[in-house]
Amino acid sequence: MSGNRAVAYLKPGTVEVRTIDFPTLELQDGPGVARDNVGRKCRHGVILKVLASNICGSDQHMVRGRTTAPEGLVLGHEITGEVVERGPDVETIEVGDIVSVPFNIACGRCRNCKERKTGICLNVNPARPGAAYGYVDMGGWVGGQAEFAMIPYADFNLLKFPDRDQARAKLLDLTMLSDIFPTGFHGVVSSGAGVGSTVYVAGAGPVGLAAAASAHLLGAAVVIVGDLNAERLAQARSFGCETVDVSQGDVGEQIAQILGEPEVDAAVDAVGFEARGHGRNAEEAPATVLNSLMSITRAGGALGIPGLYVTDDPGGIDEDAKSGTLKVRLGLGWAKSHRFTTGQCPVMQYHRGLMMAILHERVHIAKAVNATVIGIEDAPRGYAEFDQGVSRKYVLNPHGVLDGLQPV
């Protein structure tokens, strides 16, 4: 095989579906590939036929021009696929297996991997701890918004679904295991939420909705989702969340109308560095969500922060923001003894348990995030509509296996 249709970033606001090389078990030079990773042999890897690959808000940050992503970078870190080739050192994964791919690339050998901190593996990215597929400064591993993709360290990284037919039937839910479902779940777990908790989730995009569904799964008494997008707030209400429209005034006052008090037990930032200020016609203010969450989280509570923050933002509102330096009210968090958890979600801590919850009908994550299937050729439209704020989680369908599947 020679051709491989894939979605590539061209310039701010523009992606293109183009033909790239069929993957091999060796990392080739290309846009964004770390120099020291070129030629890296992956006898421990597999080639996947990509059955589903999702458009993520993190991809959208790059497409908006808010990172240093190079032209031609193949996008996509949310990958579910079928193994069509395996390297000679792969032992437990077989050709024909249907698998979920954690967006974190992890070697399974380093200190951090052995401590289950797979989001900051020390061996897969020469530039810094942690790597991902199709993402700027994350090692240059080719993205999975494509027909085929190479996955290294397959025995360690891949989550094999126990039954092929069941996996295909539930693929629209299972594809969320690669990133947004574990990421939202991690945000809620790290916020300390549990049975009987009151939880506030800032942001009703796909990760925020996944966090809200996760809070329900963990037994929260009340889940409140805040956003300024009416369509996304309606989607949150569709599965039992309370909502706050942050364009309509003080968040604490609106929470008090729901709970009888202006604070919650646990809070999740599912917005990240492109946050806007609260109130009508508010401009971008990247520390707004973090400061708001400290205000509305009870003393002794915690903030889970799965929302993305970056070290380089060419479109930042000022010189501080361009380097990821934000005006955070740390004194307020200190005074209230808040705990903060940041960074990439270590997907492998959660994905098997969440798979079981999906397979046994304990959660319907595709319905919660309004999963919407489109063809790979429609990816540019999907990116444009997602950027305009539609309340959909776009799932690319490179080989047609998702035809006819709907969220249930």
Side-chain angles (χ1 to χ4, degrees):
M1 287 182 270
S2 57
N4 182 20
R5 300 290 283 165
V7 182
Y9 167 73
L10 296 188
K11 61 183 180 180
T14 304
V15 300
E16 176 183 86
V17 180
R18 54 173 59 174
T19 299
I20 63 172
D21 290 339
F22 191 84
T24 67
L25 296 175
E26 180 177 321
L27 193 55
Q28 307 294 324
D29 197 5
V33 178
R35 181 181 302 174
D36 291 342
N37 258 353
V38 174
R40 185 170 183 156
K41 299 188 187 313
C42 297
R43 294 168 56 88
H44 43 65
V46 299
I47 307 299
L48 291 188
K49 175 183 177 181
V50 178
L51 303 183
S53 185
N54 318 325
I55 295 176
C56 180
S58 298
D59 300 317
Q60 197 73 61
H61 292 309
M62 289 187 290
V63 173
R64 289 189 187 118
R66 298 298 296 267
T67 71
T68 55
E71 178 183 345
L73 181 74
V74 175
L75 300 166
H77 55 271
E78 300 189 12
I79 309 166
T80 306
E82 179 180 354
V83 177
V84 295
E85 179 184 341
R86 71 176 202 164
D89 291 348
V90 176
E91 297 181 357
T92 63
I93 299 293
E94 303 288 347
V95 170
D97 287 345
I98 298 179
V99 296
S100 178
V101 183
F103 78 90
N104 323 110
I105 301 173
C107 73
R109 298 152 165 82
C110 70
R111 173 181 176 175
N112 283 349
C113 284
K114 290 180 178 180
E115 293 177 356
R116 303 183 73 205
K117 301 171 184 174
T118 52
I120 44 174
C121 174
L122 301 174
N123 288 333
V124 287
N125 183 356
R128 64 180 70 175
Y133 305 91
Y135 207 83
V136 59
D137 296 331
M138 298 300 283
W141 300 87
V142 179
Q145 287 174 17
E147 294 176 308
F148 297 90
M150 191 271 281
I151 310 301
Y153 302 103
D155 286 319
F156 183 66
N157 283 302
L158 296 181
L159 175 67
K160 175 183 172 180
F161 300 134
D163 181 274
R164 282 175 50 87
D165 293 337
Q166 185 186 37
R168 283 181 173 268
K170 291 189 173 292
L171 200 58
L172 208 52
D173 288 282
L174 293 171
T175 190
M176 304 305 163
L177 292 172
S178 56
D179 182 358
I180 67 161
F181 193 12
T183 292
F185 191 84
H186 177 62
V188 177
V189 168
S190 56
S191 76
V195 174
S197 297
T198 57
V199 182
Y200 179 76
V201 178
V207 170
L209 295 172
S214 298
H216 284 148
L217 186 62
L218 288 165
V222 183
V223 180
I224 305 170
V225 178
D227 206 298
L228 46 73
N229 181 313
E231 182 182 346
R232 290 181 170 182
L233 291 173
Q235 180 63 25
R237 289 192 295 272
S238 75
F239 61 96
C241 299
E242 301 286 346
T243 58
V244 162
D245 184 340
V246 300
S247 71
Q248 299 300 310
D250 184 80
V251 173
E253 291 178 1
Q254 294 187 67
I255 288 174
Q257 292 174 11
I258 298 167
L259 298 178
E261 57 183 352
E263 291 186 326
V264 294
D265 298 321
V268 178
D269 174 2
V271 178
F273 75 105
E274 288 193 71
R276 292 188 173 276
H278 296 164
R280 294 181 182 276
N281 303 314
E283 296 183 351
E284 190 167 306
T288 296
V289 171
L290 293 172
N291 289 331
S292 172
L293 295 191
M294 286 186 281
S295 295
I296 58 95
T297 302
R298 68 176 181 85
L303 279 60
I305 309 174
L308 177 67
Y309 289 88
V310 296
T311 56
D312 294 291
D313 174 12
I317 59 170
D318 55 35
E319 291 305 311
D320 282 341
K322 289 178 181 179
S323 64
T325 303
L326 309 182
K327 295 178 180 178
V328 175
R329 292 187 66 194
L330 187 58
L332 176 60
W334 189 94
K336 297 177 79 173
S337 294
H338 283 159
R339 304 180 308 281
F340 302 81
T341 301
T342 66
Q344 288 186 35
C345 166
V347 170
M348 278 190 276
Q349 289 191 25
Y350 307 109
H351 65 173
R352 185 187 179 280
L354 296 178
M355 174 190 75
M356 295 298 287
I358 289 170
L359 295 180
H360 292 277
E361 304 285 344
R362 302 301 299 168
V363 64
H364 299 276
I365 190 65
K367 186 174 183 180
V369 302
N370 196 19
T372 303
V373 176
I374 60 175
I376 194 169
E377 298 293 340
D378 292 324
R381 173 178 64 84
Y383 271 98
E385 292 179 357
F386 189 41
D387 191 50
Q388 293 165 7
V390 297
S391 186
R392 297 175 188 164
K393 177 65 173 177
Y394 283 113
V395 180
L396 303 185
N397 185 22
H399 295 280
V401 301
L402 297 170
D403 289 351
L405 290 184
Q406 298 289 332
V408 292

